[in-house]
Amino acid sequence: MPPPAATGQLFIISAPSGAGKSTIIGKAIQAFPKLRFSVSCTTRPMRSGEVAGKDYHFLSREEFVQGISSGRFLEWAEVHGQLYGTDGGPVEKWIEAGDDVLLDIDVQGARLVHCAYPAAKTIFILPPAMDVIEERLRKRATEDEEQFAIRIAAARHEIMESPWFDYIIINDNLQDAIEDFMAILRAGRSSRAIQAPRVWNFLMSL
Ligand code: 5GP
């Protein structure tokens, strides 16, 4: 019988705009250099300070639609009037190589990926209150009034989906939220499924 194959863990993180998700992800990536972050594709215009290929792969609508037809995406969704999608190839390759992978996607995408990878761990970042989201979005000032209203409406909808996530982190204290997130990432590495190849080798050596 062949030994169990190494496998990586897939983590899906979702949150409404303004919940502090990007900060939490940034800290986790610094702390876990081996964690692979899946850079999504989007048709949204680049914001100032963003870097193509690091924050997103910025595609035209035509390129994105072509990607859908060619089966490029593990999942894709329309979010706030723009298209966003996860490149399937790298995700599959990393997991098979035993690397942990983090997807930062909306709740529609989370549902689809959870279907394709039932072992994926889903994590929702909840802001302490709705007015905190409004305040953070206003401070960030990356959206015009119309986009602001769209994001607030979408936030309500996203939060309604939070109860089905495996983990819910309430970001009322950023440092605690970062530590909670990192604890989830770390604990997964000790799970039976992830440790199976090493345990197998140990048992075979007895
Ligand atoms: P933003 O425009 O603020 O960067 O992202 C807007 C929303 O799109 C966020 O909720 C983010 O998680 C989501 N998003 C980013 N990449 C993807 C993706 O590849 N697929 C899906 N379904 N949502 C994504």
Side-chain angles (χ1 to χ4, degrees):
M1 197 170 126
T7 178
Q9 309 175 85
L10 183 57
F11 296 99
I12 304 170
I13 182 166
S14 293
S17 293
K21 180 180 57 174
S22 307
T23 314
I24 295 171
I25 291 175
K27 292 285 180 198
I29 289 171
Q30 274 175 13
F32 299 105
K34 283 192 170 161
L35 178 68
R36 304 279 197 164
F37 179 71
S38 162
V39 176
S40 294
C41 298
T42 184
T43 58
R44 160 168 86 55
M46 200 190 299
R47 291 186 192 130
S48 87
E50 283 187 326
V51 178
K54 181 171 171 280
D55 295 292
Y56 282 105
H57 300 295
F58 294 95
L59 305 185
S60 67
R61 209 158 177 108
E62 292 69 39
E63 287 169 324
F64 199 102
V65 170
Q66 163 113 43
I68 296 173
S69 332
S70 66
R72 170 174 180 175
F73 301 121
L74 168 60
E75 63 72 37
W76 67 272
E78 182 160 350
V79 187
H80 315 140
Q82 300 288 350
L83 302 176
Y84 293 80
T86 304
D87 261 325
V91 171
E92 200 178 322
K93 198 181 75 198
W94 289 331
I95 290 176
E96 278 175 10
D99 291 345
D100 290 346
V101 180
L102 177 60
L103 306 183
D104 166 2
I105 58 180
D106 86 316
V107 292
Q108 307 171 75
R111 215 183 291 120
L112 285 169
V113 178
H114 195 242
C115 232
Y117 290 88
K121 298 276 185 310
T122 52
I123 304 154
F124 195 91
I125 310 289
L126 200 58
M130 220 34 224
D131 51 2
V132 174
I133 286 201
E134 296 185 9
E135 196 186 309
R136 287 187 189 155
L137 276 181
R138 288 257 181 239
K139 256 198 206 143
R140 196 165 88 179
T142 48
E143 273 78 34
D144 59 23
E145 271 309 309
E146 193 193 339
Q147 267 300 315
F148 177 82
I150 290 174
R151 281 174 184 257
I152 293 297
R156 290 177 190 279
H157 175 76
E158 295 240 334
I159 290 168
M160 290 296 290
E161 295 273 335
S162 61
W164 68 261
F165 279 69
D166 295 317
Y167 299 94
I168 298 169
I169 296 175
I170 301 177
N171 184 11
D172 46 9
N173 176 297
L174 184 59
Q175 198 48 41
D176 288 349
I178 292 167
E179 281 172 25
D180 289 350
F181 182 55
M182 296 206 293
I184 294 166
L185 299 183
R186 191 184 293 276
R189 291 231 57 88
S190 302
S191 68
R192 185 172 53 211
I194 297 299
Q195 296 292 6
R198 289 188 68 182
V199 175
W200 170 274
N201 286 336
F202 202 115
L203 298 185
M204 295 305 276
S205 73
L206 293 177

